[in-house]
Amino acid sequence: MLVFKFGGASVKDADGIINLARVVDGYKQQQLLIVVSAMGKTTNALEALTRAYVDGTQNMHALFEDIKQYHYNIMSELFEASHQVFDDVANTFVEIDWMIEEEPHDDYDFIYDQIVSIGELVSTRIVSAFLNLKELKNQWADARGLVHTDNTYREGKVIWDKTRESISKSIPQLLDKGFVVTQGFLGGTSENFTTTLGREGSDYTASIFASCLHAESVTIWKDVPGVLNADPKHFADTVKFDELSYNEAIEMTFYGATVIHPKTIKPLQNVNIPLLVKPFTDPDATGTIIAENIIPVFKKPVIILKQQQTLVSISAKDYSFIGENHLSDIFGRFAANQIKINTMQNSALSFSACVDHKEEWFDRLIAALSYNYRVRYNTGLSLLTVRHYGENTLKELTSGKTVLLEQFSRNTAQVVYK
Ligand code: ASP
Ligand code: MG
């Protein structure tokens, strides 16, 4: 069997959904599970709605109205007004109506998941109904009863034993009857509350299902020809990789390449399921294959740019050396505030770490550190990671920039600049 994943950009309008149907039409003879994300920028819009609800802002109803209207407009292009899908979608949105009538629960992350998950529940209703209309017979499956997680809302940790059992028990019999359409990004707790797996987590969902079902492969359908050596939004003359090893792909996502969610590859690598990245506009194109035992050819270096970075420099208040005890304490504080260090450097008197600038957590971290250390920081920086770099690559990429930190290993160079 095969697993396909379609992200928000691929189903952002009626044409996208028509295109999805065209892509899967070529696989009618196969067992196929289709994972779908929320349509277009719906997750961002639902995030804004959650904020408005919790803050009690005026525009809450208007925000919700826009989200509904966006979906209804697309549906009117795809279905006759009398189609059952209109009721199904209305019944899904009504869950938000019920929620926002009440006073907000005091756990923000919990509320977030209950509201934001509606994006995937609605998109899959629409995709499933449209495929059935086009005689691409399929069953809609609720991922919340299949992907079991703990109750870390917004970052649900998968409980693999239970998930494997649920998926392997219920999905094969559905696949005997046709395609299966399910939601990316969602999970459920043992108390039947909805969780999400972290932003852009639908890729990870595809890999969870594939691993539990021993799929032949996973295909992520994207708006790019495959995995490129750099993000074409920031760099010209990008090249596509025909093949990559799991390890190289893991390294790329670790340093911030956004083409695949970082958690996607490991479950596939563990059971040796290849991951294909293909353009949804050209389903017959070969894209990129990520698998074991591939020695990729790097005609060009891999370039990964992370913006909105902050460089934090930490030194002891009494100007003593930064030793192992300090470091262990400092790392503990980053971890406790859920701040991932993107790159770091240590000298006798100070420790520097480059991190994503996340308002809510950042202030907490600085407060926690300032108690015992002298802390300085620089915001609005960029972190450039270059793998398989040549002598001139870095010079060219950073010419005219003020470099604040440089770090080199045999394969990877990192530069933080202004
Ligand atoms: N809809 C979710 C998000 O935008 C999950 C995903 O797209 O993978 O983060
Ligand atoms: Mg998305």
Side-chain angles (χ1 to χ4, degrees):
M1 60 94 43
L2 305 173
V3 176
F4 283 2
K5 180 259 171 173
F6 290 89
S10 66
V11 290
K12 69 176 194 305
D13 51 23
D15 284 345
I17 293 169
I18 293 166
N19 183 61
L20 183 156
R22 205 176 299 136
V23 173
V24 301
D25 190 70
Y27 295 84
K28 269 192 283 202
Q29 307 312 324
Q30 309 243 24
Q31 294 208 319
L32 174 64
L33 177 118
I34 305 166
V35 174
V36 185
S37 305
M39 291 161 60
K41 301 267 179 251
T42 301
T43 305
N44 292 352
L46 287 165
E47 272 186 353
L49 172 63
T50 308
R51 253 285 143 234
Y53 165 53
V54 172
D55 294 348
T57 42
Q58 283 270 316
N59 63 345
M60 173 177 88
H61 290 286
L63 290 173
F64 188 25
E65 224 25 69
D66 285 349
I67 295 168
K68 286 199 257 190
Q69 211 46 59
Y70 164 66
H71 287 84
Y72 288 129
N73 287 343
I74 293 173
M75 287 158 67
S76 333
E77 288 187 53
L78 299 172
F79 305 98
E80 308 245 334
S82 59
H83 196 286
Q84 168 70 27
V85 71
F86 286 94
D87 279 347
D88 292 340
V89 166
N91 288 338
T92 310
F93 277 132
V94 94
E95 304 216 9
I96 296 186
D97 283 303
W98 290 334
M99 233 173 312
I100 64 183
E101 269 168 27
E102 308 277 322
E103 278 295 299
H105 187 284
D106 53 16
D107 180 349
Y108 182 82
D109 293 348
F110 170 82
I111 303 172
Y112 176 104
D113 281 358
Q114 311 318 304
I115 294 182
V116 166
S117 56
I118 300 295
E120 270 72 11
L121 291 170
V122 165
S123 70
T124 48
R125 283 285 177 208
I126 297 172
V127 167
S128 168
F130 186 71
L131 294 181
N132 275 326
L133 186 70
K134 293 286 146 195
E135 274 156 40
L136 294 162
K137 220 170 145 241
N138 72 92
Q139 312 277 324
W140 182 89
D142 191 335
R144 296 171 299 177
L146 298 164
V147 178
H148 301 282
T149 72
D150 68 0
N151 55 7
T152 316
Y153 294 101
R154 291 179 76 175
E155 201 63 60
K157 304 281 169 300
V158 173
I159 302 166
W160 278 94
D161 295 353
K162 231 176 134 191
T163 298
R164 202 173 291 287
E165 198 186 311
S166 292
I167 291 178
S168 61
K169 248 194 206 148
S170 59
I171 298 293
Q173 60 196 41
L174 295 180
L175 284 169
D176 283 341
K177 297 187 222 154
F179 296 158
V180 173
V181 174
T182 195
Q183 307 80 38
F185 183 51
L186 307 191
T189 67
S190 54
E191 291 104 36
N192 289 327
F193 288 116
T194 306
T195 51
T196 61
L197 306 178
R199 284 303 307 263
E200 306 304 330
S202 298
D203 294 351
Y204 182 40
T205 303
S207 123
I208 295 167
F209 276 95
S211 153
C212 296
L213 294 164
H214 307 284
E216 273 160 57
S217 65
V218 174
T219 306
I220 298 182
W221 296 93
K222 301 229 31 143
D223 54 0
V224 284
V227 178
L228 306 177
N229 75 308
D231 184 342
K233 283 189 214 107
H234 300 294
F235 299 94
D237 304 324
T238 52
V239 291
K240 174 179 80 81
F241 293 111
D242 296 334
E243 310 181 302
L244 280 175
S245 61
Y246 290 123
N247 285 348
E248 183 62 36
I250 288 175
E251 295 275 3
M252 287 172 73
T253 60
F254 172 79
Y255 288 113
T258 54
V259 60
I260 311 159
H261 188 279
K263 285 185 180 164
T264 313
I265 298 158
K266 199 69 211 163
L268 301 178
Q269 182 176 27
N270 287 346
V271 286
N272 214 346
I273 298 172
L275 173 63
L276 311 170
V277 179
K278 291 197 195 190
F280 57 71
T281 48
D282 184 8
D284 296 327
T286 51
T288 300
I289 173 162
I290 301 166
E292 201 66 77
N293 296 328
I294 284 175
I295 302 167
V297 185
F298 296 100
K299 292 186 211 118
K300 283 195 165 191
V302 175
I303 304 172
I304 301 150
L305 178 67
K306 278 175 90 77
Q307 292 171 311
Q308 302 294 345
Q309 299 292 294
T310 295
L311 189 63
V312 189
S313 295
I314 302 155
S315 44
K317 279 198 167 153
D318 59 359
Y319 295 100
S320 57
F321 288 138
I322 289 285
E324 283 72 15
N325 289 337
H326 288 124
L327 287 175
S328 132
D329 177 49
I330 292 169
F331 282 128
R333 291 173 198 227
F334 276 85
N337 288 286
Q338 301 176 46
I339 295 193
K340 182 178 164 282
I341 298 176
N342 295 330
T343 191
M344 59 193 159
Q345 207 161 57
N346 196 24
S347 73
L349 297 179
S350 82
F351 169 78
S352 303
C354 179
V355 299
D356 293 348
H357 195 90
K358 290 203 184 116
E359 298 291 346
E360 337 141 44
W361 295 319
F362 191 72
D363 293 346
R364 249 190 281 158
L365 171 74
I366 297 300
L369 288 168
S370 299
Y371 199 69
N372 298 78
Y373 303 94
R374 287 158 47 84
V375 182
R376 283 168 302 145
Y377 61 89
N378 248 304
T379 56
L381 307 176
S382 298
L383 166 63
L384 188 71
T385 303
V386 186
R387 288 184 50 77
H388 316 287
Y389 58 96
E391 233 175 74
N392 290 322
T393 341
L394 279 174
K395 268 197 206 129
E396 281 164 24
L397 289 169
T398 56
S399 89
K401 310 272 201 287
T402 310
V403 172
L404 282 84
L405 183 152
E406 280 179 312
Q407 189 92 263
F408 298 92
S409 71
R410 197 155 51 88
N411 283 325
T412 311
Q414 291 197 296
V415 184
V416 178
Y417 65 78
K418 220 185 174 82

